[in-house]
Structure formats: C-alpha cells, structure tokens
Amino acid sequence: MAADNPYRLYLPEDRIPTQWYNLRADMHERLDPMRLPDGKAVTFDDIRPVFADELCRQELDDTTTYFDIPEGVREMYRVYRPSPLCRAYNLERALDTPARIYFKFEGNNTSGSHKLNSALAQAYYACEQGLSTITTETGAGQWGTALSEAAAHFGLDCDVFMVRASFEQKPFRRSVMQTFGANVTPSPSETTEVGRRMYADEANRSGSLGTAISEAVERALHVPENRGRYQLGSVLNQVVLHQSVIGLESYDALAELGDYPDVVIGCAGGGSNLGGLIAPFMRDKIQGTHPNTRFVAVEPVSCPSLTRGRYAYDFADTGQTCPLVKMYTLGNGFIPSPDHAGGLRYHGMSPIVSRLRHDGLLDAVAVRQTDVFAAATQFATLETILPAPESGHAIRVAIDEALRCKKTGKEEVILFGLTGTGYFDMTAYESYNNKTMVDSVPTDEDLERGFATIPAVPGIQGAGGAPLA
C-alpha cells in the first residue's frame, strides 16, 4: 500500500453507519441460549424486569442481520463519530517492520472510550420506554462515565456501582461521573444485600465487576413503580451489536485506503469492543471471502477467562441474580487481583466471542501488565496518545505481531482497537515508571476455587461446568 496514506482518516458524517450489524445472524451455529438456573431457555418476559424492552429483543435475536440505529442515537453519534482510523507510522519505523499498522481510535469523547457507543443506545431505549432510572456497574470507569453522560443527555437518573479497587485508584473517573449527575458508590457496598454480604469478607473487599453487576441489578429492581432498569457495558449480545459501529467504520475506511487486515487485535474483558471491531471482518472469514484473516483477543494473565477458563454455563454476576450464559468463565465467584486494567477484571467473556473462540475462529493471548505498560509507554512516546491500560493489551500484541513480520519479512496489515485514553490512569503509569508494578498470575488452585462456583444446570452440565456423563 502507498506510504502516503494519511496518519488519520476521518470518514464524513454522512458515512456514520445507519444500522448496527448482528454477527450472530451470519454465524454457522446459533449461540447457546441464555438460561434460567433450572435449565430452561430464557424468554423475553424473564429478562424484561431487568432490561429495557427493546434491549431484551436485541439480546435474544439471533436472526436479524441489521438493526436500524434510531435517529436520536445517530444525532449524538454525529458529535464524535466517525472516529478516526489511524496509521501508526512512527511505531512502524521504530519497530523497523514491514507491517502496516492501523488502529481505530475510540477516545475522542468525554468518556474517553468506545463505551459511549452503547451507552447512548441503552439510555435512549430507556427514555423511550418512559423509565426514570438506570443502574450499572463500572470497572475502570469508562463505562460508568459513558452511561452517566448518556443518562444526562436523555434526562435519566443514573446509579453507578464502581469496583472498589478502581474507585480508590481512579478518583477523577468518579468525579467525571458525578459531574454528569450520577450517584457513584464503591462496590462492594453496604447499600445492597449482596454488597453487604461481600463486604463482610475481607478477601472480597477490593471488589469485582461480577459483584458490582449484582449490586446494580438489585438496585434497579427496587426503583419505585418499576421504572428502573439495569444496563450493562459489555458481555451481552446487545452491547456487541451496538459496538459494531467500530468495525463497520474500520471496514469502510480501510476499503477507502485499499487495504484489508491480515490480523485484527482487540483487548478482551467482557468482549464488546473486540466483538464490535471484528464483526464485519469475521463475517468475511465465515463467508469465505477472506478466510485467512486472524483474530486475536488479548486478556490479562491475572484474569484469563479465554486462555485458562472453562466453556460452560455460568452466572453473569457474583451474586447469582442474573441468568446463566454459555461463555468462557473463571467462575462467578472468582475475584481477580486489583490490576490497573479495571475494565478487564470480569470473570467471563461475551457469549459471541466465546463461541468464536470455541469454534477455532478466534485466538486468545494472555499478557502481563508490566509488558502491557512497556508497550503502552512506547506507543505514547511515538504516537502522541496515552492509551488506557485496557488498550495497552492490544498494543502489546500488535507490537509482537509487527516484530514477527520483521522476522519473516512479510508485509502484513495489522489492525487493532485503541479503545480509549489513559489520562485518568496515572497512578498506573506512575507505578510502572517507579518500578513498583507487579504481575499477578492466579495459581491453578486459585482457578479451581473459582471453577467451584460454576453451577450445575439440570440436563445441561454438572457442578463446576463438568459435562454430563
């Protein structure tokens, strides 16, 4: 490809996608359904008390290929989208690689991340339904910030349960949420039944996304007049659907440049940004038009659901109040170490991403946070963007892939998702720069304690996710 491609390509506003793309409709095998603890498949009515009605429909729909993006959502998308597709020329030169490295930058909005893409959609549907309050969890704070912003725009009250480790590490994240009018509570808290139970155990006080989800769901179910709903920032099918705008814009921009990726890389915590980025490219792989494209999910070694987890039905939350989903999981009771990539500290993975992994269409790599921050720091000095710790995971593997190309001499195209900025993560960078950062790797015994919390499901699986005889 010509070396004079722009550093940043901004598509015009009229090329913002008008529809979200539902990858599930093009997968050869349908996803295993969400289930109740008794093994029955979840219906619309089962999840309606938790999610807004239209989101329930999107969650359960495996056959509709495209969903129209409401004008009220597209109006706000125009404020910060299309996001730029960037060519990492300086990084390429520093690595002396023949690879062409592109990244899709999602940090040009107040939340500093891709999270606003789904937050606006979810808040819009809550508003259209006449609800008054939305509740959620947040790890690093990007999702909580995004939903707070979306709630303020659509005139909704917003309660955010922030993982306690991140609440303490990232005080300015919560300040941004409060600026948008959100109520922010450290999780586990003493404001909910499940929070009090978890807080009583010293080992669980740093919190987890699974615990924060349980608290947020409990709060939503107790909003007067049934006018509250819970909204999740990742994992669910509906969220991956909304994040497909990332992949659709990337696909369009690369086509304009006459390029196509050989490798697509994304960080993976719950899986929404990764699922959204890869969606149209994975469609091409499934349909056989680009069968050799590789897809790589990058997760922390401290929370290795895809690389060391079990593919089983598990609760989506630690309090075991949500339905069961088929996913790679470390067990709903797994409490990860308080690493700085708070958005990647979830015990499970998107059912869509999990199925792609299980079917051999997606690779997964686990990396240490010291290696992540080495890559993030190198990227920042070369490309003028300080990446979020989560995004640093994708950068780490993009660099590794570029160095592989240097060894082989192959001129491959690498695309990765830069999901957000790290300007509220300076305690993490300070820890790395001061050489006080450590790597946490769970032992097999640690994982077994988490696996023990995976439930038996009648007629489906045994305890710990074991297959039935």
Side-chain angles (χ1 to χ4, degrees), residues 108 152 300 330 358 374 394 399 420 433:
N108 282 340
L330 299 170
H358 181 71
I399 289 174
N433 292 329

Side-chain angles (χ1 to χ4, degrees), residues 114-132:
H114 67 291
K115 295 291 189 178
L116 195 56
N117 300 330
S118 185
L120 288 168
Q122 295 190 46
Y124 170 86
Y125 289 124
C127 178
E128 287 293 291
Q129 193 173 323
L131 302 174
S132 65

Side-chain angles (χ1 to χ4, degrees), residues 207-214 232 235 268-271 299-300 302-325 327-336 342-350 354 447 450-451 453-455:
S208 69
L209 282 167
T211 299
I213 289 170
S214 296
L232 184 61
V235 183
E299 62 185 7
S302 60
C303 196
S305 58
L306 283 172
T307 53
R308 298 176 67 189
R310 291 180 181 172
Y311 189 51
Y313 272 102
D314 194 13
F315 287 102
D317 66 317
T318 301
Q320 301 185 349
T321 59
C322 295
L324 303 168
V325 292
M327 61 182 175
Y328 278 96
T329 178
L330 299 170
N332 62 82
F334 178 79
I335 303 295
L344 306 186
R345 297 177 66 247
Y346 180 63
H347 65 271
M349 187 57 61
S350 153
S354 293
L447 296 183
F451 294 148
T453 65
I454 300 174

Side-chain angles (χ1 to χ4, degrees), residues 197-209:
R197 188 168 70 246
M198 297 299 290
Y199 191 76
D201 185 347
E202 185 72 34
N204 294 330
R205 286 193 180 178
S206 65
S208 69
L209 282 167

